[in-house]
Amino acid sequence: MHDGGISIWFFIGISLAVNGALILAAGIYQLINPPVSPGVVLFHLHANVWWGALLLVFGLIYCVRFAPKRES
């Protein structure tokens, strides 16, 4: 990578964080308003909440780790 460039991992972190936030929000919505018949065998494990939180955390770690450096 050349000086002054932005790492592709920063944009991947943004993508992970945004997708994780959307999945987590949908999972929290389903916790508050559970469907009448979920149709998923292991619905009680709330996988969308766990995976959404995990993606959000990894995305934020990537965004902080690979953020563009500020010049003083």
Side-chain angles (χ1 to χ4, degrees):
M1 189 173 88
H2 62 282
D3 287 335
I6 299 175
S7 174
I8 188 70
W9 295 107
F10 176 69
F11 294 108
I12 291 172
I14 291 173
S15 176
L16 286 173
V18 168
N19 285 319
L22 291 173
I23 294 170
L24 180 62
I28 291 173
Y29 179 78
Q30 283 186 345
L31 279 175
I32 295 170
N33 300 318
V36 176
S37 62
V40 177
V41 176
L42 298 176
F43 180 75
H44 65 281
L45 296 178
H46 306 292
N48 48 2
V49 174
W50 291 106
W51 280 109
L54 187 68
L55 283 174
L56 181 61
V57 167
F58 279 141
L60 292 176
I61 289 171
Y62 273 41
C63 285
V64 170
R65 169 67 178 90
F66 297 106
K69 306 293 186 250
R70 294 185 183 180
E71 297 295 324
S72 301

